[in-house]
């Protein structure tokens, strides 16, 4: 009996040690997001670009007041993103519909955002209106190594067709190599094959990156102008709906599919119906329970009440900058999305 009591006592001690040891585990949490800034233009004409509606004498009467208010509104949202969980805010945020490096510099230097010490990566693209993609980042949490703009090309390499390319930023996050591909696919004014082509091209980029640098992680983010279950996303890009279907590091997982179709949540509303065009797709090696490397922890469609129309015919819709030719002093027609990545610190 005494021997049994001793063994039981030893077992309890070992259990307590194991629990205590488990409680001592430390983790790092990183937040990565995407936000369509909806026409962040300055008030100066960029030569060769069709930006005339966003000039002081243009159709939108885009003067200093409107521009500075737009910067303040964008800075407010970006500053608050992720802070419900992480007071430090975002590690990196892909953005679209920005005119140039000048507006990005004004944005990160804005009095609301400046204390965070953010910087950005931007490469001027061929879009006729002059809107590009960029990556904002906190240098303390994400350290860029290199970047490039991969062009959107048609199947017949028609050089007269010019649209936004794919911004690829490679950097270090938590001691791991992470590739972020920021997208803004052809609009719904173009037919589905234009976005299907984008899906094919981005899938090829992902395959090329992961073949050249095995073990690195890939995040594909952007305004895809399609929902997760449209052909461009599910077939051409090959982004899968369920975690259980991820079989290889190079597979792609789209957590937003079930958020739209099961929860009915989205990032923009059209004729009373939610769409979820803004997505962050993750490579298969970011999925799983092994926390020794970066893994997906949770997702979020970021919203605040001030980002929505509070009254009138469009109550409940996102509060955009202009609607029907009227300046609303709003934010964007899109809501931002966030993924949180967790890693155990050893």
């Amino acid at each position: 009996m005494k021997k049994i009591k001793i063994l039981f006592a030893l077992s309890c001690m070992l259990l307590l040690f194991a629990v205590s040891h488990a409680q001592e585990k430390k983790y790092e949490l990183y937040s990565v997001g995407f936000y369509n800034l909806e026409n962040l233009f300055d008030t100066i004409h960029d030569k060769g670009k069709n930006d005339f509606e966003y000039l002081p004498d243009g159709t939108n009467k885009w003067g200093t007041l409107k521009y500075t208010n737009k910067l303040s509104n964008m800075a407010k949202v970006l500053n608050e993103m992720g802070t419900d969980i992480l007071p430090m805010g975002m590690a990196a945020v892909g953005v679209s519909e920005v005119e140039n490096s000048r507006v990005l510099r004004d944005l990160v230097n804005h009095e609301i955002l400046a204390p965070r010490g953010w910087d950005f990566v931007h490469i001027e693209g061929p879009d006729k209106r002059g809107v590009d993609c960029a990556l904002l980042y906190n240098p303390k949490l994400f350290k860029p190594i290199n970047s490039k703009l991969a062009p959107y090309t048609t199947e017949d390499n028609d050089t007269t067709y010019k649209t936004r390319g794919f911004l690829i930023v490679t950097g270090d996050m938590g001691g791991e190599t992470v590739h972020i591909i920021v997208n803004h696919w052809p609009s719904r004014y173009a037919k589905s094959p234009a976005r299907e082509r984008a899906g094919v091209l981005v899938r090829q980029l992902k395959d090329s990156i992961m073949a050249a640098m095995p073990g690195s992680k890939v995040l594909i983010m952007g305004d895809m102008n399609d929902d997760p279950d449209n052909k461009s996303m599910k077939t051409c890009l090959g982004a899968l709906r369920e975690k259980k279907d991820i079989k290889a590091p190079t597979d792609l997982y789209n957590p937003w599919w079930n958020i739209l179709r099961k929860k009915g949540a989205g990032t923009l509303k059209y004729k009373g119906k939610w769409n979820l065009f803004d997505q962050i797709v993750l490579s298969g090696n970011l999925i799983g329970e092994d926390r020794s490397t970066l893994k997906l922890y949770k997702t979020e469609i970021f919203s605040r009440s001030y980002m929505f129309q509070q009254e009138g015919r469009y109550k409940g819709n996102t509060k955009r900058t202009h609607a029907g030719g009227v300046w609303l002093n709003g934010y964007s027609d899109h809501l931002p999305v966030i993924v949180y990545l967790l890693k155990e610190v050893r």
Side-chain angles (χ1 to χ4, degrees):
M1 177 65 89
K2 186 175 182 181
K3 186 176 181 180
I4 292 173
K5 287 182 178 179
I6 291 171
L7 288 172
F8 178 74
L10 285 170
S11 298
C12 289
M13 288 174 65
L14 288 169
L15 179 62
L16 286 169
F17 175 79
V19 171
S20 174
H21 183 67
Q23 290 175 342
E24 290 174 1
K25 286 185 177 181
K26 296 181 179 179
Y27 296 88
E28 292 177 340
L29 188 63
Y30 298 87
S31 52
V32 180
F34 174 80
Y35 191 21
N36 181 327
L37 302 187
E38 194 203 13
N39 296 317
L40 180 55
F41 282 84
D42 60 24
T43 62
I44 304 166
H45 173 56
D46 281 5
K47 186 177 180 180
K49 301 295 184 181
N50 184 15
D51 59 358
F52 298 104
E53 63 181 315
Y54 283 93
L55 294 176
D57 58 353
T59 54
N60 288 320
K61 304 299 179 185
W62 195 250
T64 300
L65 174 66
K66 290 185 178 181
Y67 177 54
T68 55
N69 278 33
K70 177 70 172 180
L71 286 172
S72 295
N73 291 347
M74 296 296 88
K76 181 177 181 179
V77 176
L78 290 163
N79 185 56
E80 293 183 15
M81 283 175 63
T83 54
D84 290 340
I85 296 176
L86 292 169
M88 281 192 71
M90 305 298 294
V93 183
V95 293
S96 65
E97 295 197 20
V98 295
E99 184 181 15
N100 49 42
S101 292
R102 187 164 51 243
V103 301
L104 290 163
R105 183 58 61 196
D106 288 346
L107 181 61
V108 298
N109 285 341
H110 191 280
E111 61 181 1
I112 294 174
L113 272 183
R116 295 204 179 275
W118 284 12
D119 206 340
F120 63 88
V121 176
H122 168 255
I123 299 173
E124 188 68 31
D127 185 84
K128 292 178 181 178
R129 291 181 64 234
V131 290
D132 299 320
C133 293
L135 184 75
L136 309 175
Y137 66 92
N138 184 335
K140 297 177 182 177
L141 302 172
F142 179 78
K143 299 176 177 60
I145 299 168
N146 56 57
S147 61
K148 70 175 183 178
L149 186 67
Y152 178 106
T153 59
T154 60
E155 288 188 78
D156 59 358
N157 289 315
D158 179 6
T159 57
T160 63
Y161 186 82
K162 295 180 179 180
T163 190
R164 301 167 291 268
F166 315 106
L167 178 66
I168 307 169
V169 183
T170 300
D172 180 279
M173 183 182 294
E176 299 184 38
T177 301
V178 176
H179 309 271
I180 299 176
I181 307 176
V182 189
N183 300 258
H184 189 184
W185 289 4
S187 76
R188 285 262 164 148
Y189 288 108
K191 294 184 178 180
S192 181
R195 293 179 296 282
E196 291 166 20
R197 176 63 178 168
V200 169
L201 291 169
V202 175
R203 186 173 187 168
Q204 291 172 352
L205 288 172
K206 180 267 299 181
D207 289 342
S208 177
I209 289 168
M210 298 192 79
M213 301 181 68
S216 56
K217 312 291 177 66
V218 177
L219 294 163
I220 299 168
M221 63 173 61
D223 174 2
M224 310 306 192
N225 275 306
D226 267 337
D227 285 322
D229 52 0
N230 289 139
K231 184 178 178 180
S232 64
M233 293 297 299
K234 70 175 182 180
T235 304
C236 300
L237 182 61
L240 301 169
R241 180 173 186 170
E242 305 293 347
K243 286 183 180 179
K244 63 180 177 61
D245 295 326
I246 301 298
K247 306 299 183 185
T250 54
D251 287 342
L252 293 175
Y253 171 59
N254 192 342
W256 311 97
W257 194 323
N258 284 329
I259 290 172
L260 175 65
R261 296 308 175 201
K262 287 188 175 181
K263 298 182 179 180
T267 56
L268 71 159
K269 202 177 245 187
Y270 182 67
K271 294 185 177 179
K273 179 184 175 183
W274 281 107
N275 290 101
L276 213 165
F277 290 174
D278 307 88
Q279 301 162 53
I280 303 175
V281 174
L282 305 96
S283 57
N285 52 11
L286 282 163
I287 309 304
E289 302 304 319
D290 175 16
R291 302 297 185 190
S292 64
T293 65
L294 288 168
K295 291 292 190 297
L296 175 65
Y297 173 62
K298 64 175 296 185
T299 60
E300 176 186 359
I301 297 175
F302 179 81
S303 66
R304 293 286 190 267
S305 59
Y306 62 75
M307 299 167 70
F308 294 88
Q309 295 268 27
Q310 298 300 316
E311 57 187 10
R313 178 182 175 186
Y314 296 105
K315 181 179 179 179
N317 280 27
T318 49
K319 186 178 181 181
R320 38 189 319 179
T321 306
H322 291 95
V326 178
W327 181 51
L328 302 179
N329 191 22
Y331 297 82
S332 174
D333 52 344
H334 294 246
L335 296 174
V337 290
I338 304 172
V339 295
Y340 294 90
L341 305 175
L342 188 68
K343 180 178 181 178
E344 183 182 349
V345 180
R346 296 184 181 273

